[in-house]
Amino acid sequence: MRWISRLQLFFFIIYMGFTHCPDICPEEMEKLGKIVKTFDENPDLPDLQPMFITLDPERDSPSVIKDYLKDFASPRIIGFTGTEDEIREIAKKFRAYFGKGPKDSDNDYIVDHTIITYLINPKGEFVNYFDRSVKAENIIKTVTEHIKKYNELEKRNLL
Ligand code: NI
């Protein structure tokens, strides 16, 4: 698939959550949208590919995720879902915790989860993570430094 090999050129900034999350996920996604918008609007900043991975594949179908992502500042955020097993495997890889709470009378439930935004390099390697307390401007600064350093080393064939 050609788009995958093209995506591999980029650093990824990834947030894992679920679309029914009442408050924290929307805040973090809002922050992610703003970060990506800043990168997109500034030609001096490197390319960055944002991604949302659901921790609630039972309810978050591709169309639910697509609708959800419309609410945030960047139209470039890619959504990802999979089988329960696939999501569990990805979360394990990222050392992210998530657990489904009990269903209420409306069949609604909360997914308790780690609130972390990850930076992944074009080789798919973990580079850095940001917890909820890190402000957008600090994430932008750190991400930019990492990408510039990586590109510099790559230019000199040191990676
Ligand atoms: Ni959440």
Side-chain angles (χ1 to χ4, degrees):
M1 286 197 282
R2 200 186 324 160
W3 68 271
I4 289 184
S5 56
R6 281 183 57 193
L7 290 176
Q8 280 168 350
L9 299 170
F10 299 117
F11 268 70
F12 278 86
I13 188 160
I14 299 176
Y15 180 74
M16 280 185 256
F18 68 114
T19 67
H20 286 71
C21 185
D23 44 19
I24 296 168
C25 284
E27 273 171 30
E28 290 300 291
M29 287 297 290
E30 186 101 15
K31 191 161 91 179
L32 179 66
K34 281 182 190 154
I35 290 166
V36 174
K37 208 168 166 228
T38 304
F39 274 84
D40 286 349
E41 287 173 353
N42 189 337
D44 292 335
L45 292 178
D47 289 328
L48 182 65
Q49 178 59 56
M51 185 184 250
F52 168 81
I53 299 176
T54 182
L55 296 173
D56 185 15
E58 185 183 327
R59 289 183 295 188
D60 287 348
S61 65
S63 62
V64 168
I65 295 175
K66 203 176 163 192
D67 269 357
Y68 176 72
L69 293 178
K70 282 181 191 151
D71 291 343
F72 305 105
S74 171
R76 290 204 310 109
I77 305 173
I78 295 174
F80 184 87
T81 186
T83 63
E84 293 271 352
D85 283 349
E86 284 168 338
I87 296 298
R88 205 161 297 284
E89 204 183 309
I90 290 175
K92 201 176 151 194
K93 220 173 165 181
F94 283 79
R95 292 183 192 168
Y97 160 82
F98 72 105
K100 210 185 277 184
K103 289 186 177 171
D104 69 13
S105 54
D106 296 325
N107 245 351
D108 197 11
Y109 56 89
I110 285 289
V111 181
D112 187 26
H113 64 94
T114 317
I115 300 147
I116 300 278
T117 299
Y118 300 85
L119 182 66
I120 306 294
N121 74 17
K123 295 178 184 215
E125 296 160 347
F126 168 83
V127 178
N128 209 344
Y129 74 90
F130 309 96
D131 68 27
R132 203 181 157 197
S133 70
V134 187
K135 291 203 167 68
E137 51 266 40
N138 292 331
I139 296 180
I140 292 165
K141 197 170 155 253
T142 306
V143 168
T144 304
E145 281 166 4
H146 275 297
I147 299 179
K148 285 191 173 157
K149 199 167 99 191
Y150 181 93
N151 290 344
E152 195 52 47
L153 289 173
E154 197 187 44
K155 236 188 264 167
R156 287 153 52 196
N157 274 320
L158 293 175
L159 289 175

